[in-house]
Amino acid sequence: MQVATRAIVFSSLKYGDTSLIVKAFTQSDGLKSYLLKGVLSSKRGKLKTAYFQPLTQLELIANHKNKGTLETIKEAKVIYPYKTLHTHVVKNSIVLFLAEMLGSSIQEEEKDESLYNYLEYSLNWMDDHENIANFHILFLLNLTKYLGFYPDTSYQKEAYFDLLEGNFSIRPSLNPIIQGSTLDCFRQFLGINFDALLTIKMNKTNRQELLQAVILYFGLHLHGFRKPRSLAVLNAVFD
């Protein structure tokens, strides 16, 4: 079936000498994988390699068989040309990290328009703003709303956050926890939007520790989740 849909690229992998396998989250059908035959060797085709950089927003004309196999793309065009995401060093590092996190976290081949709208809005916000040092942490925490394991914000004044149970607790358990100054930082992110990022103050150590905790939180709640390899690059950028 031929469909016209918006899509956000998660990854592209070279296949053979001239082709790409592209994983993208579509507005119409959720996660899709596409085989782009010969795209690396064609200079005059409708599909350009540059279209398939991580988190690029596209308008696609695609053929979806919806049988769990690789789909095909007939036409593609960029619908939101980023001004800064792929050229600003820090933002590009965040993009690579978030693309890897999304690719490992979202596996459903079904329509989820609210999730698609969240991704689209978030990326456009980051492209338009400069204060983005803590953007990726808030992005991931708010993403858990759509994945089904947003932290239970009851009893926020308690001294521990249990990462396996997803709630605050009076005393530590045998599960991984957040505590101390990292927990103080964690509380600042709960229930806020991106415009409130200016109010959050964190040092480098707290940021790295909190991000490690958030990644562990994803790993505890998502089957098959893989720790992102791009984390080391992101930490180096903020070092």
Side-chain angles (χ1 to χ4, degrees), residues 156-169:
Q156 283 192 47
K157 294 182 179 179
E158 304 300 351
Y160 305 94
F161 182 82
D162 187 312
L163 287 165
L164 183 60
E165 296 297 330
N167 57 24
F168 289 86
S169 59

Side-chain angles (χ1 to χ4, degrees), residues 143-204:
L143 178 64
T144 65
K145 294 177 183 178
Y146 304 91
L147 301 180
F149 55 97
Y150 188 74
D152 182 348
T153 57
S154 307
Y155 311 108
Q156 283 192 47
K157 294 182 179 179
E158 304 300 351
Y160 305 94
F161 182 82
D162 187 312
L163 287 165
L164 183 60
E165 296 297 330
N167 57 24
F168 289 86
S169 59
I170 298 174
R171 58 187 64 87
S173 67
L174 296 177
N175 299 330
I177 59 172
I178 306 176
Q179 60 183 322
S181 61
T182 305
L183 183 60
D184 292 335
C185 294
F186 178 68
R187 290 191 185 99
Q188 296 182 71
F189 286 90
L190 299 176
I192 69 169
N193 59 28
F194 292 117
D195 291 328
L197 283 173
L198 277 170
T199 67
I200 295 178
K201 306 299 180 185
M202 277 201 302
N203 61 35
K204 178 186 68 175

Side-chain angles (χ1 to χ4, degrees), residues 4-238:
T5 181
R6 293 187 175 211
I8 297 172
V9 176
F10 283 177
S11 64
S12 60
L13 178 68
K14 188 176 180 182
Y15 180 74
D17 293 329
T18 62
S19 302
L20 287 177
I21 293 177
V22 172
K23 183 186 287 188
F25 189 71
T26 69
Q27 189 176 38
S28 64
D29 294 286
L31 188 68
K32 284 292 180 184
S33 295
Y34 300 96
L35 176 60
L36 278 55
K37 290 184 178 180
V39 68
L40 298 178
S41 61
S42 175
K43 296 182 179 180
R44 296 184 178 180
K46 294 182 179 179
L47 304 180
K48 308 295 183 184
T49 308
Y51 293 169
F52 303 100
Q53 296 182 71
L55 303 189
T56 300
Q57 297 179 39
L58 300 173
E59 181 77 46
L60 301 180
I61 303 296
N63 292 311
H64 287 178
K65 295 180 180 179
N66 297 319
K67 295 181 178 179
T69 56
L70 292 173
E71 313 285 18
T72 57
I73 297 174
K74 184 178 180 181
E75 297 179 24
K77 66 178 181 179
V78 176
I79 54 173
Y80 186 90
Y82 294 131
K83 299 181 288 291
T84 60
L85 289 200
H86 291 142
T87 55
H88 187 285
V89 173
V90 174
K91 288 185 179 182
N92 190 55
S93 299
I94 292 175
V95 163
L96 296 177
F97 168 74
L98 291 181
E100 196 173 356
M101 286 290 294
L102 288 166
S104 189
S105 302
I106 298 174
Q107 304 296 334
E108 297 300 320
E109 290 195 22
E110 59 183 41
K111 183 176 181 177
D112 189 338
E113 194 155 1
S114 61
L115 173 54
Y116 185 89
N117 291 340
Y118 170 70
L119 298 180
E120 185 178 69
Y121 169 80
S122 303
L123 295 171
N124 293 352
W125 190 96
M126 181 167 63
D127 190 46
D128 288 335
H129 291 78
E130 294 304 316
N131 182 46
I132 45 82
N134 299 316
F135 172 88
H136 51 301
I137 296 176
L138 182 57
F139 175 92
L140 292 175
L141 282 174
N142 286 344
L143 178 64
T144 65
K145 294 177 183 178
Y146 304 91
L147 301 180
F149 55 97
Y150 188 74
D152 182 348
T153 57
S154 307
Y155 311 108
Q156 283 192 47
K157 294 182 179 179
E158 304 300 351
Y160 305 94
F161 182 82
D162 187 312
L163 287 165
L164 183 60
E165 296 297 330
N167 57 24
F168 289 86
S169 59
I170 298 174
R171 58 187 64 87
S173 67
L174 296 177
N175 299 330
I177 59 172
I178 306 176
Q179 60 183 322
S181 61
T182 305
L183 183 60
D184 292 335
C185 294
F186 178 68
R187 290 191 185 99
Q188 296 182 71
F189 286 90
L190 299 176
I192 69 169
N193 59 28
F194 292 117
D195 291 328
L197 283 173
L198 277 170
T199 67
I200 295 178
K201 306 299 180 185
M202 277 201 302
N203 61 35
K204 178 186 68 175
T205 300
N206 285 144
R207 182 181 295 113
Q208 290 188 358
E209 289 178 352
L210 180 54
L211 182 58
Q212 289 282 7
V214 171
I215 292 171
L216 177 57
Y217 188 51
F218 271 67
L220 290 169
H221 290 268
L222 293 173
H223 179 70
F225 177 81
R226 301 178 307 278
K227 185 177 179 179
R229 292 175 293 177
S230 54
L231 178 60
V233 176
L234 184 65
N235 286 337
V237 167
F238 283 114

